[in-house]
Amino acid sequence: MFLIPGFLISFVTFPGVMMHELGHQLACWLSKVCVFRVQYFKFDAKVAGFVEHERTDNPWKSLLITYGPFIFNTILGTILVLPLSLMWAANANRIILPIWVRPVCYIIAYFGVSCLANAFPSWKDAQNLFESVVKNKALPLLPRILVAPFVIVIGLCSAAKFFWFDFIFAFGVPELIYAIITHNPPHFWTMW
Amino acid sequence: MDGFQFEYDPGLCRHCHKRYIDRSSGNPNEFLCRECRAELTKLRIPKWLLLCMAVVITAAIVMSVYLGKIVMNNSTGIAALSEGEKILAEVDSLIAEHKNYSAMDVLYNYLEANPNNTGVAIRGMQKAMEIGQYDYAASIYNTYLSTKGFTDAEIKELNKIATELNRYYDTFDKVGEALSEYVSEAGTDMSDESKEALRKECYNKVLALKDDEGCEKNIIYYCIGTYLVGNLDESERYLKMAYNYAPLTDEIAGRLAVNERRKGFMSAAWEWVDKGEKVNAEGIEVRRAKATILLAEGKYEEALYVMEELYAFSPDGSYVRDTYCIALYATGNIDKMKTIMSEAKETGYEFDEEFHKVISNRMSIYDYYVEGDE
């Protein structure tokens, strides 16, 4: 498997990292959980960004805060890659577009792909959720059991990142939108 | 440890260390005062980040609306988009099989049912141009595109095609004008000398057009090679020049096959048929040339099979009726031949003298096709 250091990917997709942290922040705001400090992005090989928030004993709030970036980045990323998908649909119908459309679509799509590539909760997020909910014996058993699969999903996704799962997701979303619009199968890398 | 150690009041807010912790919520783990909690649960996003996000999201929405409108306006709906894609793919595969006329028919049928799909119309026009089917391209433009509104880029693309088409038809007009006198006078009772003088005059007129930058050279050479030169070698020379300019024109390959057949060079004739079929296996000139070579080689049944298809496709094509009748005669279908001949006579069609010699057994089919004028 072709390996690129994670921090390098974070640097290249820094808008997505920022939106990832914003996703945590928004989830805290929705859950009424205090946020003490937010670092949207920093050029650091270890931690590219973080949100320091109050510990909550509510398992559902913990779950929302952990999955906030996935929901927020996926919605935002989808909006940002939509012009690219529509441009592909226009090309598929042999519609000749003005010359400026292509670069503009790709620039916007860069932000979209960055968001989508950073949509998945991090391994650290999984650890936090595991510590605050699954391992927390003060909580009732049912929410701990219900939250456990979400921790496993994050763990699996983190492992799959080794196989570029985050980028397959990021590049797959615009192709999926294209397929839905045109009823045609996506063409994978040849479309880019 | 020696030294001064400041101790907070444990009842003070852990964030501001000024006010007392708010215990009103009943949470035993509470550690903030009311004001700090209210402040820290507010959504505080830096203005520069909000501004950047607003710019990018606005750009994405504007582009989506813009492109969405274009996609919807250029098709009769999203379903038509994919249907158009399928039609273009079908057209591509038929062209790949060298079935150019069938490809154009598929395209035309689709456009008749979906006249607003300008995307497919433009692409279809481009395809027609690519395979040398200029008449189809012009017809698509006139029927489905000339009254529509376009973007600047579409207009630029259409202008490019229109320029090419105009050049093609202008050349035809100019060559036709130069040829008209010769064609109308050649059939009259002129003396051979006068006819030859007229032919030379016309030849010079058409040949002069090659210096006209607005003319397609392949059309000029094709017309000279087909109508205006006195012998087969000269004809072949001009037709090959035309072919070099336009190798994707099946008519030229068909004419060259006929020339080789008339000289008795059957293997060379077959080579030209192969070349023509690779361009358009449905080409009238190529299919007729193929049938005449088969007739000259004595393969009458095969020739009849080719001609039956061709006659059904284009009965009024050049020499199609004659060749079909010869094939019917050669295979013993005399009654059917007579029916075709009488039908042709009713429409004013006249078979040439050598044709009558063949069907009255005064000339062999081989001589007709190798030594004769046809």
Side-chain angles (χ1 to χ4, degrees):
Chain A
M1 189 55 48
F2 181 52
L3 286 173
I4 294 178
F7 70 89
L8 207 62
I9 291 172
S10 297
F11 291 165
V12 173
T13 61
F14 75 93
V17 176
M18 294 169 87
M19 292 304 107
H20 180 102
E21 303 311 334
L22 186 60
H24 283 306
Q25 193 186 359
L26 283 169
C28 289
W29 173 66
L30 286 171
S31 325
K32 293 191 173 17
V33 167
C34 293
V35 173
F36 303 115
R37 199 171 151 222
V38 181
Q39 180 76 56
Y40 291 105
F41 183 73
K42 63 174 180 175
F43 285 96
D44 187 320
K46 287 180 182 169
V47 184
F50 61 84
V51 174
E52 211 176 278
H53 60 83
E54 147 188 45
R55 186 188 163 93
T56 173
D57 287 334
N58 184 323
W60 310 120
K61 285 182 179 181
S62 291
L63 188 64
L64 180 63
I65 293 166
T66 304
Y67 273 84
F70 179 73
I71 299 163
F72 179 64
N73 279 34
T74 303
I75 293 170
L76 184 62
T78 303
I79 292 168
L80 297 183
V81 295
L82 186 61
L84 183 68
S85 302
L86 285 166
M87 188 191 79
W88 286 338
N91 289 344
N93 200 28
R94 307 297 195 265
I95 296 166
I96 300 150
L97 297 168
I99 198 161
W100 56 267
V101 170
R102 195 176 179 84
V104 170
C105 285
Y106 274 104
I107 289 168
I108 299 170
Y110 159 70
F111 292 102
V113 169
S114 297
C115 286
L116 293 165
N118 287 282
F120 289 96
S122 62
W123 183 245
K124 180 73 183 162
D125 293 330
Q127 282 178 319
N128 289 343
L129 189 63
F130 182 71
E131 294 288 336
S132 64
V133 179
V134 182
K135 216 176 158 188
N136 188 351
K137 288 181 179 168
L139 290 174
L141 189 63
L142 186 64
R144 289 167 63 195
I145 291 170
L146 290 175
V147 169
F150 289 94
V151 178
I152 293 168
V153 167
I154 301 173
L156 288 173
C157 289
S158 292
K161 280 181 187 177
F162 179 76
F163 302 103
W164 295 83
F165 179 66
D166 43 358
F167 277 90
I168 290 170
F169 175 73
F171 288 103
V173 168
E175 303 218 1
L176 184 69
I177 299 170
Y178 164 82
I180 291 167
I181 293 172
T182 62
H183 303 263
N184 283 334
H187 303 168
F188 303 105
W189 55 87
T190 55
M191 292 178 74
W192 295 84
Chain B
M1 188 179 162
D2 295 332
F4 177 78
Q5 196 167 5
F6 184 83
E7 284 188 11
Y8 284 113
D9 179 345
L12 283 177
C13 167
R14 302 284 170 83
H15 188 67
C16 66
H17 309 292
K18 288 174 188 168
R19 292 175 289 269
Y20 282 96
I21 293 169
D22 177 24
R23 302 285 184 195
S24 62
S25 65
N27 180 2
N29 298 323
E30 182 57 75
F31 59 97
L32 296 169
C33 64
R34 187 190 299 265
E35 289 78 5
C36 282
R37 176 156 292 282
E39 184 60 28
L40 293 172
T41 48
K42 273 185 190 168
L43 185 61
R44 290 165 297 161
I45 303 171
K47 280 182 184 164
W48 61 266
L49 184 59
L50 279 176
L51 185 69
C52 292
M53 284 175 66
V55 169
V56 176
I57 293 170
T58 306
I61 291 169
V62 169
M63 285 303 290
S64 298
V65 171
Y66 169 74
L67 288 167
K69 275 185 183 172
I70 287 178
V71 169
M72 295 301 285
N73 289 343
N74 275 276
S75 65
T76 49
I78 294 302
L81 184 80
S82 59
E83 199 190 339
E85 274 276 273
K86 281 177 199 159
I87 290 296
L88 289 169
E90 192 181 341
V91 168
D92 275 340
S93 70
L94 284 166
I95 291 172
E97 289 172 30
H98 316 299
K99 294 178 178 172
N100 293 358
Y101 294 138
S102 301
M104 292 296 111
D105 283 347
V106 166
L107 187 64
Y108 233 88
N109 290 339
Y110 173 78
L111 287 172
E112 268 182 31
N114 301 274
N116 292 325
N117 197 332
T118 50
V120 170
I122 292 175
R123 191 68 198 116
M125 218 176 137
Q126 288 170 330
K127 283 184 192 299
M129 296 294 288
E130 281 165 16
I131 58 171
Q133 297 296 328
Y134 287 14
D135 290 341
Y136 275 100
S139 175
I140 290 170
Y141 178 80
N142 291 333
T143 315
Y144 300 107
L145 294 170
S146 58
T147 57
K148 302 269 167 57
F150 299 104
T151 62
D152 288 349
E154 284 172 337
I155 288 169
K156 202 175 160 189
E157 185 62 31
L158 284 173
N159 279 344
K160 216 166 75 183
I161 296 173
T163 306
E164 209 176 321
L165 278 176
N166 284 338
R167 197 177 143 87
Y168 174 79
Y169 286 110
D170 282 350
T171 312
F172 256 116
D173 288 345
K174 286 175 184 171
V175 170
E177 201 181 318
L179 268 177
S180 60
E181 196 184 352
Y182 175 65
V183 172
S184 58
E185 298 294 329
T188 59
D189 295 333
M190 284 173 89
S191 65
D192 287 348
E193 289 80 13
S194 302
K195 270 186 193 173
E196 182 58 17
L198 185 61
R199 185 190 67 77
K200 276 188 179 166
E201 188 190 329
C202 192
Y203 167 87
N204 289 331
K205 270 189 201 170
V206 176
L207 194 61
L209 289 173
K210 77 178 171 51
D211 299 323
D212 184 340
E213 286 300 315
C215 285
E216 289 278 353
K217 290 191 173 48
N218 64 311
I219 297 171
I220 296 165
Y221 292 138
Y222 176 76
C223 286
I224 294 174
T226 309
Y227 306 109
L228 294 172
V229 285
N231 63 68
L232 287 176
D233 290 335
E234 269 291 276
S235 167
E236 188 180 325
R237 191 168 73 85
Y238 278 107
L239 287 171
K240 279 184 176 170
M241 281 159 74
Y243 183 80
N244 288 338
Y245 274 104
L248 294 179
T249 314
D250 53 276
E251 285 97 334
I252 301 174
R255 285 301 317 171
L256 280 159
V258 166
N259 271 17
E260 295 293 353
R261 186 211 70 215
R262 286 175 68 183
K263 288 193 285 182
F265 302 146
M266 296 304 174
S267 59
W270 276 117
E271 278 176 28
W272 282 112
V273 167
D274 285 345
K275 282 180 186 173
E277 282 186 330
K278 277 175 188 159
V279 174
N280 181 12
E282 296 176 328
I284 296 168
E285 195 67 45
V286 171
R287 284 154 84 184
R288 199 192 70 85
K290 185 179 182 176
T292 59
I293 298 166
L294 288 167
L295 285 167
E297 288 179 340
K299 296 167 184 169
Y300 302 139
E301 290 294 339
E302 287 177 55
L304 180 63
Y305 177 74
V306 174
M307 284 317 296
E308 268 176 344
E309 278 193 340
L310 185 55
Y311 185 74
F313 180 73
S314 174
D316 297 323
S318 175
Y319 283 102
V320 168
R321 201 172 265 115
D322 306 56
T323 313
Y324 184 39
C325 285
I326 298 284
L328 286 169
Y329 168 78
T331 50
N333 295 292
I334 307 298
D335 291 342
K336 194 166 182 185
M337 180 193 77
K338 283 181 178 169
T339 309
I340 301 284
M341 284 178 70
S342 61
E343 281 172 3
K345 202 176 176 183
E346 280 170 19
T347 61
Y349 186 85
E350 282 183 23
F351 294 91
D352 62 30
E353 197 186 320
E354 288 195 335
F355 171 85
H356 287 289
K357 280 186 185 172
V358 174
I359 61 166
S360 59
N361 214 11
R362 285 179 288 139
M363 185 185 222
S364 74
I365 291 174
Y366 180 84
D367 287 347
Y368 179 61
Y369 281 118
V370 175
E371 306 292 340
D373 288 338
E374 204 281 308

